[in-house]
Amino acid sequence: MATTRPTPTQRGFEPTRRPGRSAPWFALTASCVAALGSMGLNVSQATSLDYFGEPSYSDPSAYTEQPADPTQMLLDLKSDAPANRGALELPDDKFGTKRGETAENVLQPGTLTSYNYPTNGYPSPMYGALPYTQKMVLFEEFGLEKLDPSQPAPTLPFPAPKLGPAPMQDPQHVERSSPSAEDLQAFLKQPGIAPYPTEHANTADRNPWQPQVEQYFQRYLTGAPAEGRPPGEGWAHQRWNEFYPQAFFKTAQAGARPNGGMRDSRQMHGYAVGEFGPGGLYHNTAGLAQTEGTTKGIQVRIHPNMPVQDHKSVWTFDGTLPPKLLMVRYGQPMLMRHYNALPIDPVANHGFGLHTISTHEHNGHNPAESDGYANAFFFPGQFYDYRWPVQLAGYDTINTTASDPRAAFPCAPGETLWVNDMNPGLKTCQNGTIRIRGDWRETMSTHWFHDHMLDFTAQNVYKGNAVMMNYYSALDRGNEAMNDGVNLRLPSGSALPWGNRDYDVNLVIADKAWDKNGQLWFNPFNTDGFIGDRLLVNWQYAPYLDVRARRYRFRILNGSVSRFLALALVKEVKGLTGEMPGPKGTLVSYSRVPFHMVANDGNIMEHAVPFDGTLDLNRDGNLLDHKGQLPTQGIAERYDIVVDFAANGIKPGDKLYFVNVKEHETGIGTKQNIPLADILSEKYKAVQITRNGQPAWDKGDPVVGPFMELRVQAYSGTDLSMNPVDYEPAKPAKLAGKKMIPLWLDRSNPADMAKLQTARRREFEFGRSFGTDDAPWTVAADGGLGYNMDPRRITAAPQLANGPTDAGYSGAGTAEIWKLKTGGGWSHPVHVHFEEGILLRRGGVEPPEWEKWARKDVYRIGTEADSTSSVEFAIHFREFAGTYMEHCHNTQHEDNSMLLRWDIEHAGQFLVMPTPMPTWEGVQYVRSVGQPTFRTGFAFGPSNH
């Protein structure tokens, strides 16, 4: 996609210095001025390409004073109305409650069971569905368009809800319905975007659903902006001109509907090349006669034997399956216009979920206004423009000359990209890349984005508000044939210049449950957590996937609400010669299949960690406990593994299985890992029984066991992908191999560790101190009180060391040390937004191999296997300011107050950022207050314990 930057006039923006502020940070050199001028940019005031600082006093988002003694303000928050009150508005000037949104749940508190699987519910009926009888669907690419102001505006408006037949619409009540599938498809399919994206929130255009909203509330709306982004400079797109979006896509959060094939033409492979081309393994998307080279006709259902999901039960991106995938490249800023097509009535939700949403790109290096803050939600009929710069962290401080070939934009011949290097301007693709600024050691690969609505994240994500996102770079091109000394050549394919997915497979694994009618079911009443009784892959029950006899990369996301996983890979062996016997009388046995972990939490590791029994990965004296078996995988953790289907005795015709060995009893945390041999022999196997006249599970956790089949097919090509053995860490009698992406911190280097002695340390304890029945979970910071979540309270506020810089600048940014702790037998996968950390200690000692060589954004603390009660990590803050979050990613814990706000402040900032309070009639702001230690932290340097 060739890219150019439109002029500011075309964008409707003239960069000028605004009154009431100090000069912006970004000062351009003379050469930069000349280059930008040649592009048509107005640079008569060179220092004003982008303002980067506090809003003016007259701005609606103006900062306010932090009281000298915040005690009273902190106390007052406890009696204030809920911050998300605007999302719960009902007719007749009434407001609902979190509990009120569950009114249509098929199991109310008085009818819940005491069963563990699913949590307080009944076993999910299977409708005769058998395992491994449906082909696994692969993720469907959103596809990007060039953002071009000269392109004609699309003519179809965002369609309003209307009456229609179930299950896609409501036949009686417009406020409980949605746009028709045909109208929504026609709207999303048309090229272009209108209204055109702007730096500041679009408060001029009206919500196109305003008439239907007014009819529901029986009152006029005095304001109903089209965009839900908060107004003013404080929530404007930071560094808009410098990171002007060069590509975009639009999507709608919508109730379940059939896939109309709208995105077929937007797949990079076009169903024409590689394994997606005719004759390839994945040309037929669903294994049906009508899905040759198309996703048209794929229904939202868990198995072909099961009912189609109702539009109030499942809410996905586009309203369709397969799950969606966004593919982006480092250096190319992009924009997602996210429309909300959910019902106007907040109770039209099948008993769980809320119709207001906020989208978090986990864990992008993004400015706060596009991070998906929990209280920056938007309403049905509105859109929100998320602008993601897609730049390497360290952009302002490391490799600012864009001279390092390892920091680069992967490209096709003829493509161009604007780069702010020593000679800013459009650069042309050379030898498959264009060099960009930033620290190549911060390269990321496997992300996802999902809802982050305050108090309703678990329910909304569970309903389908989650997709995956692949980052491509000079190091991870998605083209294994490109051997330039930089590209790691991870398994992918080679038909396209970048982004091949022939042998690179995204998997979202999550436990679910459904009611007696086959509709998705969730228990919102249990604040300890929720676990389902069936494990789905890419929204499918027990699918099979054909694979070639060669190396594959699997990008594995735990997309559950509360369930931790521990996955093993085994090969079925005919006869009894395998390592472990199968069920009695079957004449089948199994052998573990070795593999390598190459990325953790989306970050390619320094070394490829072997899970083959040759290295004691967690120093417990047992080399074999992780042979063919991954460590605990908490909610939201991503593990990328490379499996060779042409090694270890695997041959065409063989069948392999992914197996979950992690047992739960409740959503609070895990119980134990079940021995793989007991699972495969069915010595451990949950069974359904009848108890008091109702079905129930007995003899174990039904989600423990095999859940996906891999069928090996012959391969006639040449596997050009890297051999992960070449990148292994040091092992007994073997020196360390090559490095993939080295960490920016070497724990064994005294100089690196000495720099941390002056780093500010913050400590966070996750537990139940001072919790309530309705909001039991709390976080205590720096030895202080445990607080429930309130988006108006600031718990931490690191400050930037510098603002935007010119090419040639060198610096270190702001580094801090964060320590997370817990107790009480609970398990918490804690996620810190915006930046990745390097673990210094886990439980006071060196972390295991799979974390030792990784950068992380989810940190497991608790009593489950592979975890400890504390972790300590080093983390940077750079490039962007604003309001972010930290929380337990057991999202039932998060939604019941185990969530906190932290801000990144501008250098020297004294005032505090206000809190957005969205309503149907627009976003207002209220004052925020920092906890006593929000700027000082707890101490300096590592805790050493």
Side-chain angles (χ1 to χ4, degrees):
M1 182 186 300
T3 54
T4 58
R5 281 192 166 196
T7 66
T9 302
Q10 289 172 316
R11 294 199 292 269
F13 172 73
E14 290 287 335
T16 57
R17 188 174 299 173
R18 300 182 181 90
R21 308 187 183 105
S22 59
W25 278 100
F26 193 23
L28 301 181
T29 61
S31 61
C32 184
V33 172
L36 292 176
S38 69
M39 293 171 59
L41 288 167
N42 182 345
V43 290
S44 58
Q45 291 186 314
T47 57
S48 298
L49 180 66
D50 282 301
Y51 176 77
F52 188 74
E54 300 180 27
S56 68
Y57 298 120
S58 60
D59 191 278
S61 61
Y63 296 177
T64 59
E65 291 186 0
Q66 163 74 3
D69 182 358
T71 305
Q72 190 57 51
M73 276 193 71
L74 291 169
L75 287 172
D76 290 344
L77 290 181
K78 294 185 177 182
S79 58
D80 285 349
N84 61 2
R85 185 171 183 259
L88 303 172
E89 186 175 357
L90 299 170
D92 302 321
D93 296 322
K94 296 179 180 177
F95 290 87
T97 63
K98 183 177 179 181
R99 179 59 62 90
E101 304 309 303
T102 66
E104 297 184 8
N105 199 293
V106 295
L107 290 180
Q108 291 296 308
T111 60
L112 291 170
T113 74
S114 59
Y115 305 158
N116 290 338
Y117 314 110
T119 301
N120 306 127
Y122 295 98
S124 302
M126 295 307 298
Y127 293 86
L130 297 175
Y132 321 126
T133 57
Q134 62 173 330
K135 181 176 181 176
M136 192 185 84
V137 294
L138 300 181
F139 277 65
E140 182 177 36
E141 300 163 27
F142 280 115
L144 294 175
E145 296 181 55
K146 179 181 178 181
L147 186 61
D148 185 356
S150 66
Q151 184 175 4
T155 57
L156 297 176
F158 183 46
K162 59 185 181 182
L163 302 180
M168 291 181 289
Q169 291 174 283
D170 191 290
Q172 296 179 315
H173 304 282
V174 167
E175 69 275 10
R176 297 174 59 83
S177 195
S178 61
S180 72
E182 297 77 15
D183 288 349
L184 189 58
Q185 164 138 325
F187 170 76
L188 292 173
K189 188 175 182 179
Q190 60 186 343
I193 187 169
Y196 202 75
T198 54
E199 178 183 9
H200 294 79
N202 183 340
T203 57
D205 290 298
R206 299 291 89 191
N207 183 337
W209 290 15
Q210 183 171 347
Q212 291 80 14
V213 175
E214 290 176 336
Q215 180 182 10
Y216 172 65
F217 287 123
Q218 291 296 295
R219 67 177 179 84
Y220 292 108
L221 302 181
T222 57
E227 185 173 9
R229 184 160 49 110
E233 185 70 37
W235 285 75
H237 291 304
Q238 296 175 56
R239 303 172 73 166
W240 173 248
N241 288 280
E242 188 174 4
F243 303 129
Y244 187 80
Q246 300 179 13
F248 80 97
F249 74 98
K250 54 183 182 282
T251 183
Q253 209 65 40
R257 66 184 181 91
N259 194 315
M262 173 193 76
R263 298 198 183 272
D264 287 348
S265 62
R266 298 178 185 178
Q267 307 306 291
M268 283 185 58
H269 51 70
Y271 294 105
V273 297
E275 298 288 2
F276 291 89
L281 291 181
Y282 312 126
H283 184 67
N284 189 309
T285 60
L288 306 173
Q290 67 269 29
T291 55
E292 285 286 340
T294 181
T295 58
K296 185 176 182 180
I298 295 178
Q299 296 270 13
V300 179
R301 59 173 64 184
I302 293 164
H303 187 276
N305 285 33
M306 296 184 186
V308 171
Q309 294 294 309
D310 185 86
H311 76 283
K312 295 188 288 293
S313 301
V314 171
W315 298 342
T316 71
F317 284 77
D318 290 358
T320 64
L321 291 179
K324 301 298 178 282
L325 175 68
L326 178 61
M327 302 171 67
V328 299
R329 292 178 283 177
Y330 268 110
Q332 184 182 62
M334 54 82 56
L335 181 138
M336 173 181 72
R337 175 158 293 177
H338 195 179
Y339 286 91
N340 187 335
L342 301 177
I344 294 169
D345 181 353
V347 186
N349 61 359
H350 199 64
F352 61 97
L354 191 62
H355 63 181
T356 45
I357 54 178
S358 178
T359 309
H360 169 52
E361 199 270 273
H362 177 135
N363 192 46
H365 189 68
N366 294 321
E369 67 278 359
S370 293
D371 186 64
Y373 185 53
N375 221 58
F377 51 86
F378 60 109
F379 291 80
Q382 289 187 313
F383 67 83
Y384 194 120
D385 280 346
Y386 293 90
R387 190 280 315 258
W388 295 324
V390 198
Q391 304 296 323
L392 289 166
Y395 175 98
D396 287 328
T397 53
I398 297 173
N399 182 38
T400 60
T401 58
S403 55
D404 194 317
R406 295 166 294 188
F409 166 82
C411 51
E415 285 192 288
T416 60
L417 181 77
W418 190 88
V419 180
N420 184 23
D421 58 8
M422 296 298 289
N423 297 290
L426 285 175
K427 312 296 178 180
T428 302
C429 187
Q430 293 185 355
N431 300 318
T433 62
I434 298 172
R435 296 181 185 182
I436 60 175
R437 289 173 59 150
D439 188 351
W440 67 279
R441 297 170 300 177
E442 296 281 4
T443 301
M444 296 183 286
S445 293
T446 304
H447 279 208
W448 65 308
F449 50 96
H450 59 83
D451 183 60
H452 224 305
M453 176 65 204
L454 183 64
D455 293 346
F456 290 90
T457 297
Q459 300 174 42
N460 285 357
V461 173
Y462 183 83
K463 287 179 83 79
N465 191 324
V467 298
M468 291 190 75
M469 182 175 184
N470 293 354
Y471 278 68
Y472 294 92
S473 60
L475 295 148
D476 190 6
R477 298 178 57 89
N479 182 345
E480 64 188 44
M482 177 64 73
N483 191 3
D484 59 0
V486 174
N487 180 33
L488 290 170
R489 297 166 42 237
L490 288 160
S492 51
S494 58
L496 302 169
W498 66 274
N500 291 280
R501 295 194 294 127
D502 302 329
Y503 315 111
D504 180 355
V505 179
N506 292 75
L507 302 176
V508 56
I509 301 173
D511 57 333
K512 304 285 184 183
W514 43 93
D515 63 26
K516 63 182 180 181
N517 297 315
Q519 295 300 304
L520 193 69
W521 179 77
F522 181 85
N523 177 3
F525 307 105
N526 192 318
T527 59
D528 287 342
F530 174 83
I531 53 175
D533 66 337
R534 296 293 181 181
L535 198 58
L536 306 188
V537 185
N538 295 359
W539 275 90
Q540 294 173 289
Y541 167 69
Y544 70 85
L545 176 69
D546 290 319
V547 296
R548 296 292 186 192
R550 52 150 293 151
R551 282 187 286 268
Y552 269 69
R553 174 185 187 174
F554 292 99
R555 306 177 189 239
I556 305 172
L557 163 66
N558 182 350
S560 303
V561 169
S562 304
R563 183 180 286 277
F564 293 71
L565 301 170
L567 306 184
L569 183 62
V570 299
K571 181 184 74 169
E572 181 182 87
V573 179
K574 300 291 193 236
L576 305 179
T577 59
E579 289 181 69
M580 291 167 280
K584 287 184 179 180
T586 60
L587 296 180
V588 167
S589 56
Y590 296 89
S591 293
R592 290 174 288 183
V593 176
F595 52 79
H596 286 76
M597 181 188 288
V598 295
N600 190 326
D601 278 355
N603 300 292
I604 295 175
M605 301 161 74
E606 186 164 314
H607 288 292
V609 176
F611 286 77
D612 60 0
T614 62
L615 184 62
D616 186 358
L617 300 182
N618 56 353
R619 299 181 303 280
D620 66 351
N622 186 346
L623 271 68
L624 298 179
D625 57 352
H626 284 102
K627 180 183 178 182
Q629 183 171 315
L630 285 165
T632 299
Q633 185 171 5
I635 301 95
E637 284 190 286
R638 286 91 66 215
Y639 291 160
D640 288 28
I641 65 172
V642 171
V643 180
D644 192 343
F645 294 106
N648 302 297
I650 303 171
K651 59 187 182 303
D654 283 346
K655 294 180 179 180
L656 288 78
Y657 296 89
F658 276 116
V659 182
N660 176 44
V661 305
K662 181 71 70 177
E663 182 187 42
H664 272 260
E665 282 189 335
T666 71
I668 292 178
T670 65
K671 183 181 180 183
Q672 62 182 333
N673 281 1
I674 304 299
L676 188 57
D678 289 353
I679 297 169
L680 298 172
S681 68
E682 297 187 355
K683 178 180 178 181
Y684 182 101
K685 183 180 182 181
V687 295
Q688 279 196 38
I689 62 171
T690 299
R691 183 179 295 148
N692 300 323
Q694 296 287 350
W697 286 106
D698 191 28
K699 297 185 178 180
D701 181 350
V703 168
V704 171
F707 61 89
M708 177 180 170
E709 183 177 79
L710 302 158
R711 301 176 178 177
V712 182
Q713 309 294 328
Y715 181 57
S716 59
T718 301
D719 187 346
L720 300 173
S721 67
M722 58 100 93
N723 185 352
V725 172
D726 297 336
Y727 295 86
E728 290 179 342
K731 298 194 295 187
K734 181 184 176 184
L735 296 175
K738 295 183 289 185
K739 294 182 178 181
M740 293 186 293
I741 300 182
L743 301 176
W744 54 261
L745 174 72
D746 184 349
R747 303 178 195 86
S748 64
N749 185 335
D752 280 3
M753 298 307 293
K755 293 176 184 177
L756 293 180
Q757 295 304 315
T758 57
R760 193 180 309 277
R761 186 172 84 246
R762 304 179 189 274
E763 299 194 357
F764 306 91
E765 185 161 5
F766 291 74
R768 286 183 181 251
S769 57
F770 302 102
T772 66
D773 289 343
D774 290 334
W777 300 102
T778 62
V779 185
D782 303 322
L785 298 175
Y787 282 111
N788 298 134
M789 168 58 178
D790 192 300
R792 295 160 286 206
R793 184 193 308 110
I794 307 169
T795 303
Q799 290 199 349
L800 295 172
N802 55 270
T805 63
D806 280 340
Y809 180 88
S810 179
T814 298
E816 293 194 349
I817 297 169
W818 286 21
K819 185 172 185 177
L820 313 177
K821 302 181 290 184
T822 191
W826 302 306
S827 299
H828 303 298
V830 177
H831 173 44
V832 178
H833 286 212
F834 182 67
E835 281 279 11
E836 292 70 49
I838 294 176
L839 265 67
L840 303 176
R841 293 175 180 270
R842 171 172 281 289
V845 299
E846 185 179 78
E849 294 289 317
W850 56 81
E851 292 180 331
K852 178 180 179 180
W853 306 112
R855 292 175 292 122
K856 294 282 293 175
D857 62 58
V858 178
Y859 310 88
R860 279 180 284 102
I861 51 176
T863 57
E864 72 276 356
D866 310 315
S867 295
T868 52
S869 61
S870 68
V871 294
E872 193 166 349
F873 54 91
I875 189 168
H876 274 125
F877 305 100
R878 296 165 289 188
E879 278 79 62
F880 302 109
T883 294
Y884 296 91
M885 290 176 290
E886 172 189 340
H887 58 90
C888 177
H889 225 298
N890 176 333
T891 44
Q892 263 304 71
H893 294 183
E894 172 193 328
D895 286 347
N896 291 281
S897 288
M898 192 167 265
L899 170 70
L900 63 84
R901 165 186 171 178
W902 61 275
D903 290 357
I904 299 178
E905 296 187 329
H906 296 280
Q909 182 177 321
F910 180 73
L911 303 176
V912 296
M913 302 171 186
T915 304
M917 304 287 279
T919 72
W920 283 98
E921 296 179 280
V923 181
Q924 305 298 319
Y925 290 95
V926 297
R927 289 184 65 184
S928 305
V929 58
Q931 292 183 209
T933 62
F934 82 116
R935 285 187 173 132
T936 61
F938 187 75
F940 290 91
S943 68
N944 295 319
H945 65 272

